[in-house]
Amino acid sequence: MVINTGLHVSQSLHTKTLLNVSTIKGTVKDATGQTLPGVSVSIKGTSIGTQTDANGQFTISAKVGDVLVFTSIGYAKKEVTIVNINALFVELGTDARNLNEVVVTALGVKRSEKSLTYSTQQVAGSELTNVKTDNLVNALSGKVAGVTITPSASGIGGSSKVLLRGNRSLDGNNQPLYVIDGVPISNGGNNFGQPGDAYGGNPEGGDGIGNLNPDDIESMTVLKGGPAAALYGSGAANGVIVIVTKKGKAGKTTINFSSSASFDHKAYEPAFQSRYGQTSAGATTSFGPAISSAPDNLSQFFQTGNNYTNSLSLAGGSDIAQTYFSYTNTTSRGIEPGNKLGRNNFDLHETAKFLNNKLTVDGNVNYITQTLDNSPALGYYSNPLTGLYLFPRGQNIAPYKNFEGPNGTNGVPTENWPFQEDIQQNPWWIINRNTNEATRNRILLNGSVKYEITSWLSVQARGSLDRTNDVGDQKYWAGTLAPLAAPNGNGSWNGFNSTNSQRYADAIVNFNVPLKSKDFKVDGLLGASITDNTGTGLSFGPGPQAPTLFGLFIPNLFTLQNIEVAPAGSNNPYGSNVSGGTTYEDQTQAVFGSANLSFKDWAYLSVTDRVDWSSTLAFTPTYHYSYPSVGLSFILNQMFILPQAITYAKVRGDYASVGNSPGAYQTNPVNYPNANTVTFNSTAPYPTLKPEITKTYEGGADLRFLNDKLSFSFTLYKTNTINQTIGFSPLATSGYGSGNINAANIQNKGIEITVGYNMVQSKQFSWNSQINFSRNINKVLDVASKIGIDSIELTNSSSYVSEVKKGGSYGDIYGQTLLKNSSGQLLLEADGTPQKGDFVKIANPEPRFQLGWNNSFNYQHFSLNFLVDGKFGGQVVSVMQSILDSYGVSKAYGDARAAGGVKVNGVGPDGKAITTVDAETWYTAIGGRNAALGEYVYSATTVRLREMAFGYTLPVNKSVFKSFKLSLTGRNLIYFYRKAPFDPEITSSTGNGLGGVDIFNQPALRSYGLKLDVTL
Amino acid sequence: METIYRSIKHKKSSYYLAALCTIVLGLTSCTKNFQKYNTDPSGIANKDVQIASVFIPFEQEIMYSADDGYQVGQNLNADIYAGYSCPPQFFGTTLNNMNYVFVDNWNQEAFNSIYTNLLGPIKNKLAATGVKTTLPDFWAVALIVQVEAIDRITDKFGPVPYSAIGKSLVTTPYDTQQSIYQQMFAQLDTATSSLNAFITANPGATPFVNSDVVYAGDYTKWLKFANSLRLRLAMHLTKIDLVTAQKQAEIALAAPGGLLSDPSDNAAIAVAGQNDYWQITASYTDNSMNASIGTYMVGLKDPRLPVYFTPVDITQGPLPAQYAGKYVGIRLGTNVHSKPLYSGFSVYNYNTTFLVTSKETVMTAAEVYFLKAEAALRGWTGAGDAQTDYEAGINSSMSQYGVSSGAAAYIADGTSKQTDYVDPQNAADNIAALSTITVKWDPSATNEVKLERIITQKWLAMFPEGQEAWTEFRRTGYPKIFPVVNNQSGGTISTQIQVRRLSYPVSEYSTNGPAVKAGVALLGGPDNGGTRLWWDVNKGNF
């Protein structure tokens, strides 16, 4: 059996022996060896065609020299030239681009790719599982143009910030809406939330999307722009990620087992000096005498992280009913001891047809349990890395593994640590005595009923429930440093138990108007939906009145009854230790409609409109708001005769406006009891509050060349987000301490380009390659100039301010720089201490452009996938480096001192030039918590080998196995380019502040793994 | 869209359309719960607030917001300018209030917090509940609290917003200081008549007992406080409007219900959390004895000295052993460039007097006796005899601090005087005593000397309430407070005349620009620390 591609037709013609029409038989399988039913098989250039049967087999009448074309949704189109009459064996590769032929759009509606007037990009489930990650959205990185993924630095179980086309909202969420099988789900984390400032100290709160099992996902479609998302309304203003989960398939039952093990190491560590020791006995700094070597204290602490994921799925069914069931267990540990993640995912998906296939019922149950222990805190507080990194050079940290000292006056052990600084504690004390735990139980129920009334009209009703229960706590044992725990020294405790539910229901009428004219087609939908979010729960903690935190009464007895309610000697009682009852509800109701008009299959017009009624607008004159979208596209290759090389050409353009409901409780603030009194709320009511609106213009083209081997797509867009809710301080004499106003105009402009090349050379070898490029330019056109506010601070610490300022761009980082005179000389004190200036813009972490290059090679039974991912431009800052410098532990300090001091171009107060400054003087002046952070700005450009998977498929023909594949995988393997002392991609917080700053972040991880996929 | 509707109708599918509309209408008529959803269930609506439950934060706000509000709102302006306090540190900025360069965010706290947390909410929310007519007794107390609060702001800045508070989020016009004083007297009129009516009708009733951290609901004491406050405010006007001063003082002196007359009548607030003086002294270690009060109390052999202050603690700082047990203060404006340099000097006595739980006194019976003494000096009706009032003031203060045994000798001392100041850390700060005043009353002395004696003793008695002490220093020139060592004001504030006011916070210019500029016009001089307030007329006391 010889199969050649069309490229080799001329060679294969030499071997032809028969010209008569014969019956050609064959079997079509996918890359895993599974037979593919329903594949269409046709003879190129004729109308002769057939389909494969349930066993993937086909029969067709053809002659040698004919070219057979195999097409199937979700698989790469394949052409095979017949060279003899022997049975054919054809393997179809999955391909993301070809998935685009049918695109899952808003509300789960499937539409043909060419009828879409906007850009989308789809990723097959297999691409998410080639190399496993513990948060599945991380696997999107580099695979979709215009998507920026920023994982939290907290390692396993951490959340990820996903940005589609830039930041746009000042006070709200900038992350997209996640939709599973047509209905929105919650992406919320638990009450630990995200760090809001440099002190940090909180564990990572996780996110909702990270709970899902990538093995259950059929495909993910990224709807980047407003036009695509307009039908989803509120919440979709930042784009939508549409997830389709796996279903059972009619035909044979398949059982898949997948097992992977991966091992994580830190990808880098700070550069330390080993030349100079502790300044003096008991000192926290390392400005001391020369030493010959220093022990590797980091290796005493870090461990190899790992991730074991085992997944079993069963899929099967008849033409009438199909079932998919899967169970996945994930067991993982971080590189910091004690950090553990355990997760179990159950998924049952049932689809059935009744009443002569007119009624389709679909149901899906997902149950997820997850426990995350000792998620590492980032920032200054409760972070083991501060004490570990700052430990005086030359000293051995090993004795402090014994983290408990003698008993204190309260009869329980003290912390064994030689220093008394809020910024650092014994690392082993933190992981054993500043512990945290979070457990999540989540159920996702999803059901739909669809009835086809006539061939052109169907109705559908859906409902879903996404309920999450989070239980978590954080224990500070007695002996923990006072700023972190209660000053009474008996320890403190905080925690929560909360349940959040999102309920969604919709009813949709789909129509496809039968028209007499064959040139025109009209289809569309009308619908109504309701989304209801509720939250209940309790939290408790060490008393409400900072800075007087009250702790436990009896040391280390972590019970509610043991939390003090008032400090010793206080004037007033302080109320309950149980606080923050989190009862909450909001609701959005909507009606929406869309209509699509097409002419001769080459001109398409789409119109949508939606009206939302939002409970958060209660107490304003109107509770509702509406927003439209309109789009137009032309299929040029069907309008005109184009050069033969161009097989497909589409141009498209859109306008959309997407509304976003404002946050709750702004229109009617109430008053809160506090310490046995009631304090009148000082927030001014805002009775004319309006929703935030994002307006998008988008245009682009999709082109395919050379029989679709080469594809090229680009999109230009501009979005303006206005009417944002801006918090401001009204005049004190207004009697209000805070107020809100609708203002701001944040603009994102950009371009996205995708180029794909799909070379199938032979059965022996194939290569698919795709490049994703995107560039986004963010500009703050206005903050709230009508009330004289031109900037909003997102977060700050003593050396770092993240500010959104008119004329600047979102994420701008402000810090102090060193003062220079007009001839560029640094202004120095007589001892060389530099003078610091005002806070100025020093960095912005957003990349200028991003490039992802995704490749997949197949050679015989071997496969190789790799992804090179680059983020170019942008700057980040390292607060950590500034602190390491000021403690004298950094290589920068050691090298400078060894060189006789820091070489500078400076001038003293007497006007005399200064060329060398003592290293200690210099680094204690520019570094530290009040650093001149302008000296700690680094290029954010990073180019990396993000993913690599090398697989071998065992030849298992005619055994019990349908497929047996073994892969070696790796993530974050090589930094081809990285200038910052940390990975600029990871962030201290996936919230809106703290982007692009390293405040003792856990280092990025490098993982290697082994993966086994077996299909029965 | 219209064509679609039409085509559907055409295909007799109106049934489906009707069904859809039912669903849609069914949903959209359900917005009736939206107000419930969008009201935080963990809070209390304005209409449901029990009036009494909101009142304690208002009383406490008189001494500025919890945490460091008092420190920047009053201690680092009025208390240091009154010669009571001097911080042993420079707060990270070598140019600050201590050398006459105002730190804007300190001024901002002094200006903003009482508006935001006391005057504004009373006007926007408490008054809106109709309490003026439904509970006039309670409203009377609210009026007294407002007068006590606005006086702190206007006597720091001059013209400030008062009548138009709470009317707009973006602009509030300024009132003249004269108008503010008129409003304060009018509000005291209303308050005292309401309280008198209530006390007459309901003798002994204390409906407000659990919601009052000043007098535990004792309206008779609130009445005394209101009358005494009127006397204090009247006396502020001796230079600008002697007629009103005398008229209001005589109303106060003859007022039904009387004046504060015993230390048990003193107006003192149990603040939220910790006593502010304890906090800034013991917790922040930011508050030491000023050289001015130190030299007076040491020189006059004042029995209250060890009650007010701690002696030098050589274990806390660099002072040599010879200073142990002595009382040494810090002179304002000295070059305190790092914290250990002036640590160990005398500080407010947080061990026995300013405890975590101590109340904070805003007006004492002793002050009232000294006000009466000055009224008598001026020959006003009802003031009694100046010497009697003067000595009653000293005795009342000694009794208040439990040192009555030393009172007689103190009153009889006609020779002890303020001492010279010697700074053990920096001889450049040394300065000779400015005052030769003694304690003993001299009937033959001039009115000017008698006034210096009265005001000096009033100043010693009303410690640590620097707000009123600074006002009286500016009005009378007494006591003789040491000038700042380093004046960095660039010539806007005279070292000899000393600072007269605080400048408006920059935030007023950026957010309430036209109004503050009109306010500066009302001030009648540049917006700096050298411009005198309306009642601060540059002329003799008599």
Side-chain angles (χ1 to χ4, degrees):
Chain A
M1 181 183 69
V2 179
I3 300 169
N4 274 336
T5 66
L7 282 172
H8 300 126
V9 167
S10 59
Q11 294 162 349
S12 57
L13 284 178
H14 293 294
T15 63
K16 74 182 177 188
T17 53
L18 290 164
L19 288 167
N20 299 333
V21 172
S22 311
T23 300
I24 308 288
K25 288 182 176 178
T27 309
V28 183
K29 293 185 173 184
D30 69 10
T32 65
Q34 215 177 332
T35 55
L36 292 174
V39 177
S40 92
V41 186
S42 61
I43 301 174
K44 195 172 180 181
T46 73
S47 59
I48 302 166
T50 184
Q51 280 200 336
T52 56
D53 64 13
N55 296 321
Q57 293 177 339
F58 68 92
T59 310
I60 195 164
S61 295
K63 58 182 186 294
V64 169
D66 281 347
V67 177
L68 294 185
V69 182
F70 297 85
T71 54
S72 180
I73 288 170
Y75 294 91
K77 179 173 153 186
K78 192 158 189 172
E79 294 186 4
V80 177
T81 304
I82 301 170
V83 293
N84 58 38
I85 57 166
N86 293 343
L88 287 170
F89 174 79
V90 180
E91 183 183 309
L92 294 186
T94 50
D95 188 88
R97 280 185 312 286
N98 285 22
L99 271 177
N100 284 349
E101 284 170 6
V102 168
V103 177
V104 181
T105 64
L107 302 164
V109 176
K110 285 181 184 157
R111 293 180 59 195
S112 73
E113 195 259 350
K114 66 181 185 178
S115 74
L116 296 182
T117 62
Y118 47 78
S119 79
T120 64
Q121 218 173 328
Q122 193 157 340
V123 176
S126 59
E127 287 193 67
L128 302 172
T129 53
N130 267 340
V131 182
K132 291 254 173 85
T133 64
D134 56 68
N135 188 329
L136 79 96
V137 284
N138 292 346
L140 278 182
S141 205
K143 291 173 188 158
V144 181
V147 177
T148 309
I149 312 275
T150 315
S152 158
S154 59
I156 60 166
S159 53
S160 275
K161 180 172 187 175
V162 178
L163 276 186
L164 307 182
R165 296 181 174 172
N167 285 292
R168 60 198 66 167
S169 187
L170 286 171
D171 69 319
N173 182 6
N174 276 302
Q175 302 213 46
L177 177 72
Y178 291 95
V179 171
I180 291 191
D181 295 333
V183 301
I185 61 156
S186 159
N187 191 35
N190 68 31
N191 296 30
F192 283 137
Q194 289 292 318
D197 60 35
Y199 296 99
N202 271 8
E204 160 73 39
D207 57 15
I209 190 67
N211 302 151
L212 300 182
N213 173 20
D215 289 305
D216 294 336
I217 290 172
E218 180 76 35
S219 71
M220 276 173 114
T221 306
V222 182
L223 309 181
K224 284 171 273 193
L231 269 187
Y232 273 115
S234 209
N238 301 315
V240 181
I241 294 184
V242 175
I243 296 167
V244 177
T245 62
K246 283 183 180 160
K247 292 181 183 179
K249 285 186 180 127
K252 259 183 157 176
T253 302
T254 55
I255 300 172
N256 274 294
F257 175 71
S258 164
S259 179
S260 70
S262 66
F263 302 93
D264 300 335
H265 305 270
K266 58 184 187 308
Y268 49 82
E269 58 184 51
F272 293 101
Q273 58 97 353
S274 297
R275 299 167 186 264
Y276 305 100
Q278 195 172 18
T279 308
S280 58
T284 57
T285 53
S286 299
F287 300 119
I291 53 175
S292 54
S293 66
D296 178 6
N297 286 331
L298 269 57
S299 65
Q300 301 279 339
F301 181 75
F302 286 112
Q303 64 181 16
T304 300
N306 59 38
N307 180 319
Y308 300 102
T309 303
N310 291 293
S311 175
L312 180 71
S313 73
L314 301 102
S318 64
D319 289 339
I320 290 173
Q322 299 94 37
T323 304
Y324 174 85
F325 171 77
S326 81
Y327 167 69
T328 302
N329 173 272
T330 306
T331 305
S332 182
R333 71 173 200 182
I335 59 168
E336 295 186 17
N339 180 203
K340 285 186 286 191
L341 172 78
R343 184 162 62 218
N344 294 292
N345 293 66
F346 300 87
D347 183 13
L348 177 63
H349 200 147
E350 193 69 38
T351 310
K353 291 195 171 178
F354 301 95
L355 305 176
N356 210 9
N357 286 346
K358 279 180 179 292
L359 181 69
T360 308
V361 179
D362 188 278
N364 190 0
V365 182
N366 264 285
Y367 179 65
I368 300 155
T369 66
Q370 177 179 300
T371 301
L372 179 59
D373 288 340
N374 297 321
S375 163
L378 309 175
Y380 295 148
Y381 288 166
S382 289
N383 182 347
L385 302 187
T386 55
L388 181 67
Y389 290 174
L390 297 176
F391 198 72
R393 301 300 296 163
Q395 302 291 308
N396 189 350
I397 204 168
Y400 296 99
K401 281 183 169 178
N402 178 14
F403 53 85
E404 285 181 333
N407 285 357
T409 50
N410 56 2
V412 296
T414 55
E415 179 179 349
N416 179 26
W417 192 239
F419 312 119
Q420 281 289 321
E421 283 191 315
D422 63 344
I423 196 173
Q424 62 167 316
Q425 290 189 90
N426 181 324
W428 289 273
W429 177 272
I430 290 178
I431 60 176
N432 289 289
R433 291 290 178 258
N434 291 176
T435 57
N436 65 75
E437 183 180 40
T439 303
R440 167 167 276 206
N441 279 287
R442 182 175 188 184
I443 187 157
L444 276 156
L445 298 175
N446 194 342
S448 81
V449 180
K450 187 173 185 176
Y451 185 70
E452 222 173 273
I453 297 167
T454 71
S455 61
W456 59 270
L457 190 67
S458 67
V459 292
Q460 182 179 19
R462 283 188 295 219
S464 76
L465 168 70
D466 177 359
R467 171 171 290 167
T468 304
N469 172 250
D470 284 306
V471 179
D473 76 325
Q474 203 175 5
K475 296 186 177 83
Y476 293 97
W477 290 54
T480 299
L481 214 60
L484 312 176
N488 74 2
N490 289 340
S492 61
W493 188 39
N494 64 68
F496 54 84
N497 183 341
S498 64
T499 302
N500 293 292
S501 300
Q502 176 168 302
R503 285 173 290 169
Y504 174 89
D506 65 17
I508 297 172
V509 177
N510 287 289
F511 56 84
N512 190 343
V513 182
L515 296 173
K516 278 185 186 141
S517 160
K518 290 205 166 157
D519 289 343
F520 287 99
K521 286 179 192 160
V522 176
D523 65 72
L525 59 84
L526 285 169
S529 71
I530 180 166
T531 311
D532 188 83
N533 291 301
T534 55
T536 59
L538 287 174
S539 57
F540 60 88
Q545 293 235 343
T548 317
L549 296 172
F550 334 131
L552 301 172
F553 181 66
I554 296 165
N556 299 342
L557 177 62
F558 297 97
T559 66
L560 281 179
Q561 294 83 349
N562 191 40
I563 299 179
E564 285 188 328
V565 293
S570 147
N571 269 351
N572 313 109
Y574 278 84
S576 170
N577 50 28
V578 177
S579 59
T582 51
T583 305
Y584 173 85
E585 181 156 10
D586 71 33
Q587 196 173 84
T588 306
Q589 300 167 5
V591 294
F592 46 82
S594 80
N596 308 300
L597 177 69
S598 69
F599 177 68
K600 285 189 168 178
D601 282 350
W602 56 257
Y604 294 88
L605 171 69
S606 284
V607 182
T608 70
D609 197 20
R610 179 172 161 126
V611 185
D612 278 13
W613 283 259
S614 171
S615 69
T616 59
L617 290 171
F619 303 103
T620 68
T622 46
Y623 295 0
H624 64 88
Y625 54 100
S626 69
Y627 40 90
S629 84
V630 59
L632 200 55
S633 67
F634 297 99
I635 311 298
L636 300 180
N637 55 312
Q638 284 172 352
M639 292 169 74
F640 311 109
I641 295 172
L642 299 176
Q644 218 182 347
I646 303 175
T647 41
Y648 179 75
K650 177 167 93 170
V651 292
R652 49 188 157 76
D654 283 281
Y655 165 76
S657 155
V658 183
N660 195 2
S661 297
Y665 306 150
Q666 295 181 47
T667 52
N668 180 38
V670 293
N671 311 295
Y672 298 97
N674 175 27
N676 296 357
T677 63
V678 174
T679 309
F680 275 129
N681 194 328
S682 69
T683 305
Y686 190 20
T688 57
L689 179 67
K690 290 189 171 55
E692 179 180 296
I693 298 284
T694 298
K695 293 179 175 174
T696 309
Y697 295 90
E698 178 181 316
D702 302 311
L703 303 165
R704 295 207 286 270
F705 305 91
L706 306 171
N707 288 329
D708 295 356
K709 276 194 168 58
L710 178 68
S711 62
F712 175 82
S713 165
F714 77 91
T715 305
L716 290 163
Y717 61 85
K718 178 167 95 83
T719 69
N720 289 80
T721 305
I722 58 170
N723 268 1
Q724 305 197 29
T725 310
I726 305 290
F728 74 105
S729 298
L731 283 181
T733 47
S734 71
Y736 290 107
S738 60
N740 292 302
I741 190 167
N742 284 128
N745 184 352
I746 309 254
Q747 180 173 286
N748 285 284
K749 284 197 293 196
I751 182 166
E752 292 155 356
I753 299 172
T754 302
V755 181
Y757 188 61
N758 189 15
M759 189 170 82
V760 185
Q761 284 177 326
S762 68
K763 162 71 182 159
Q764 305 291 321
F765 178 70
S766 70
W767 171 38
N768 298 330
S769 183
Q770 182 178 334
I771 290 173
N772 293 301
F773 169 91
S774 62
R775 165 147 170 70
N776 183 66
I777 302 166
N778 179 287
K779 191 161 187 194
V780 181
L781 299 179
D782 185 29
V783 176
S785 52
K786 61 184 169 188
I787 53 163
I789 294 177
D790 285 333
S791 78
I792 293 250
E793 203 173 276
L794 297 176
T795 182
N796 71 66
S797 73
S798 44
S799 62
Y800 168 94
V801 179
S802 173
E803 199 168 340
V804 179
K805 199 177 248 180
K806 183 177 177 177
S809 55
Y810 204 107
D812 281 351
I813 295 168
Y814 288 73
Q816 286 178 291
T817 52
L818 301 184
L819 288 181
K820 291 177 179 173
N821 64 15
S822 54
S823 49
Q825 289 175 297
L826 292 168
L827 299 178
L828 306 177
E829 310 283 353
D831 68 349
T833 303
Q835 296 178 26
K836 294 174 203 166
D838 290 334
F839 277 73
V840 293
K841 182 188 161 182
I842 54 172
N844 187 308
E846 297 305 322
R848 278 174 65 82
F849 63 92
Q850 299 184 78
L851 207 52
W853 184 33
N854 202 2
N855 286 281
S856 115
F857 295 91
N858 283 289
Y859 177 70
Q860 290 187 338
H861 297 294
F862 295 96
S863 67
L864 175 68
N865 296 289
F866 70 88
L867 170 64
V868 176
D869 188 1
K871 291 182 177 174
F872 297 86
Q875 305 87 28
V876 291
V877 298
S878 179
V879 169
M880 179 178 84
Q881 188 64 40
S882 82
I883 290 175
L884 298 184
D885 281 355
S886 73
Y887 277 72
V889 297
S890 67
K891 184 170 185 295
Y893 162 75
D895 290 353
R897 181 170 161 192
V902 180
K903 302 286 179 270
V904 297
N905 173 23
V907 59
D910 53 3
K912 286 189 184 145
I914 296 177
T915 56
T916 305
V917 178
D918 171 65
E920 180 180 346
T921 305
W922 180 259
Y923 284 112
T924 51
I926 67 161
R929 271 203 259 185
N930 295 307
L933 216 53
E935 297 294 302
Y936 294 95
V937 177
Y938 306 91
S939 163
T941 300
T942 319
V943 183
R944 76 183 78 213
L945 180 59
R946 182 179 294 282
E947 284 185 1
M948 183 138 100
F950 178 69
Y952 176 66
T953 308
L954 268 72
V956 287
N957 281 343
K958 293 180 180 157
S959 82
V960 292
F961 299 110
K962 282 183 189 140
S963 145
F964 196 104
K965 185 175 179 184
L966 207 56
S967 318
L968 289 169
T969 64
R971 273 190 80 75
N972 206 23
L973 291 174
I974 302 166
Y975 291 106
F976 297 112
Y977 185 97
R978 174 174 68 88
K979 288 288 178 246
F982 61 101
D983 187 339
E985 178 180 88
I986 60 172
T987 181
S988 302
S989 164
T990 57
N992 288 342
L994 292 178
V997 58
D998 179 7
I999 309 165
F1000 290 92
N1001 288 351
Q1002 180 178 290
L1005 302 180
R1006 175 166 295 152
S1007 16
Y1008 308 90
L1010 193 64
K1011 184 163 172 266
L1012 172 72
D1013 292 287
V1014 179
T1015 306
L1016 294 171
Chain B
M1 293 289 277
E2 215 167 281
T3 55
I4 298 161
Y5 288 124
R6 231 181 279 138
S7 57
I8 291 172
K9 213 184 247 174
H10 182 69
K11 286 283 173 185
K12 72 168 193 180
S13 298
S14 51
Y15 168 76
Y16 303 119
L17 195 62
L20 179 70
C21 290
T22 309
I23 295 166
V24 169
L25 291 173
L27 280 174
T28 53
S29 65
C30 282
T31 58
K32 65 179 189 314
N33 282 331
F34 276 16
Q35 294 201 347
K36 188 183 99 186
Y37 297 152
N38 205 32
T39 303
D40 189 343
S42 58
I44 304 158
N46 289 343
K47 65 178 172 53
D48 299 328
V49 166
Q50 287 179 299
I51 300 300
S53 70
V54 298
F55 206 73
I56 289 173
F58 293 148
E59 294 182 340
Q60 292 173 330
E61 186 60 32
I62 290 171
M63 292 308 248
Y64 304 88
S65 302
D67 203 3
D68 64 350
Y70 179 82
Q71 180 175 35
V72 296
Q74 175 162 323
N75 178 256
L76 292 173
N77 52 64
D79 291 355
I80 62 172
Y81 298 148
Y84 285 156
S85 161
C86 186
Q89 72 139 320
F90 70 118
F91 303 99
T93 169
T94 49
L95 298 177
N96 57 40
N97 288 17
M98 277 75 83
N99 45 31
Y100 284 171
V101 180
F102 294 132
V103 176
D104 184 62
N105 60 10
W106 299 356
N107 283 3
Q108 203 173 313
E109 173 75 17
F111 190 93
N112 284 353
S113 74
I114 287 175
Y115 282 120
T116 312
N117 302 321
L118 194 170
L119 298 171
I122 286 182
K123 188 110 172 189
N124 289 340
K125 299 205 168 177
L126 189 62
T129 61
V131 67
K132 282 182 196 181
T133 47
T134 56
L135 296 169
D137 55 314
F138 178 80
W139 182 245
V141 175
L143 285 171
I144 299 166
V145 167
Q146 289 176 78
V147 170
E148 171 61 32
I150 189 65
D151 183 39
R152 280 174 193 275
I153 304 177
T154 189
D155 287 348
K156 284 192 178 90
F157 294 95
V160 288
Y162 192 45
S163 61
I165 291 170
K167 288 189 176 160
S168 158
L169 293 182
V170 291
T171 179
T172 313
Y174 282 47
D175 293 352
T176 63
Q177 226 180 347
Q178 182 174 22
S179 157
I180 293 168
Y181 269 79
Q182 284 163 355
Q183 292 174 62
M184 290 194 289
F185 288 129
Q187 288 174 335
L188 290 175
D189 291 345
T190 308
T192 50
S193 71
S194 296
L195 286 180
N196 274 312
F198 185 88
I199 292 164
T200 308
N202 310 282
T206 55
F208 184 36
V209 58
N210 290 324
S211 314
D212 177 8
V213 291
V214 180
Y215 287 128
D218 186 340
Y219 284 151
T220 63
K221 289 192 172 164
W222 276 105
L223 185 56
K224 288 181 181 183
F225 178 40
N227 291 332
S228 305
L229 205 48
R230 184 192 298 275
L231 182 58
R232 177 198 271 182
L233 295 175
M235 201 61 77
H236 291 174
L237 307 186
T238 54
K239 281 184 172 172
I240 186 69
D241 184 355
L242 194 56
V243 174
T244 303
Q246 179 171 356
K247 181 183 144 210
Q248 289 294 336
E250 288 176 349
I251 293 172
L253 291 165
L259 299 165
L260 305 177
S261 60
D262 181 86
S264 64
D265 295 336
N266 291 355
I269 302 162
V271 298
Q274 299 140 340
N275 175 287
D276 288 307
Y277 302 107
W278 178 87
Q279 190 171 43
I280 61 177
T281 312
S283 175
Y284 299 172
T285 63
D286 283 347
N287 183 40
S288 300
M289 179 171 81
N290 189 293
S292 293
I293 194 167
T295 50
Y296 270 100
M297 293 190 90
V298 170
L300 297 176
K301 303 185 178 69
D302 197 308
R304 291 165 293 191
L305 180 57
V307 184
Y308 286 5
F309 298 105
T310 60
V312 162
D313 181 353
I314 57 165
T315 65
Q316 296 297 314
L319 287 176
Q322 73 208 64
Y323 290 98
K326 296 197 169 151
Y327 289 85
V328 182
I330 306 171
R331 194 170 153 202
L332 192 67
T334 186
N335 190 17
V336 186
H337 54 73
S338 63
K339 204 158 191 173
L341 192 65
Y342 280 87
S343 298
F345 283 57
S346 294
V347 300
Y348 285 29
N349 189 337
Y350 60 85
N351 296 317
T352 60
T353 309
F354 304 106
L355 303 175
V356 180
T357 53
S358 297
K359 285 181 147 194
E360 294 176 16
T361 306
V362 294
M363 192 167 195
T364 62
E367 181 191 344
V368 172
Y369 285 114
F370 292 115
L371 286 165
K372 285 173 77 176
E374 181 176 349
L377 207 58
R378 295 179 184 279
W380 295 347
T381 306
D385 172 64
Q387 180 175 357
T388 309
D389 291 336
Y390 172 78
E391 290 172 357
I394 295 173
N395 279 317
S396 179
S397 179
M398 296 293 170
S399 151
Q400 179 185 337
Y401 288 105
V403 287
S404 294
S405 57
Y410 183 68
I411 290 170
D413 186 346
T415 54
S416 298
K417 293 171 186 154
Q418 185 192 14
T419 61
D420 298 341
Y421 175 67
V422 175
D423 184 344
Q425 288 296 87
N426 184 358
D429 296 339
N430 295 354
I431 186 168
L434 300 175
S435 174
T436 56
I437 202 77
T438 55
V439 180
K440 189 182 178 191
W441 187 259
D442 175 5
S444 64
T446 64
N447 271 357
E448 192 64 36
V449 172
K450 284 175 178 163
L451 184 66
E452 182 182 358
R453 189 162 272 132
I454 292 167
I455 300 295
T456 302
Q457 282 303 320
K458 183 165 83 168
W459 174 69
L460 290 170
M462 72 169 69
F463 175 84
E465 165 55 320
Q467 177 56 47
E468 181 60 14
W470 184 35
T471 297
E472 289 295 82
F473 166 73
R474 284 175 291 167
R475 177 178 69 93
T476 64
Y478 303 119
K480 291 178 177 168
I481 294 169
F482 292 133
V484 290
V485 183
N486 294 300
N487 180 343
Q488 302 285 352
S489 71
T492 58
I493 303 173
S494 158
T495 305
Q496 286 314 308
I497 298 169
Q498 303 196 13
V499 57
R500 310 312 286 182
R501 65 183 285 276
L502 303 182
S503 52
Y504 296 122
V506 171
S507 57
E508 278 295 290
Y509 285 90
S510 58
T511 58
N512 197 22
V516 70
K517 282 170 194 157
V520 175
L522 299 175
L523 179 67
D527 180 16
N528 60 39
T531 301
R532 289 171 181 269
L533 300 186
W534 167 69
W535 45 252
D536 178 12
V537 184
N538 186 15
K539 68 175 192 186
N541 280 312
F542 295 95

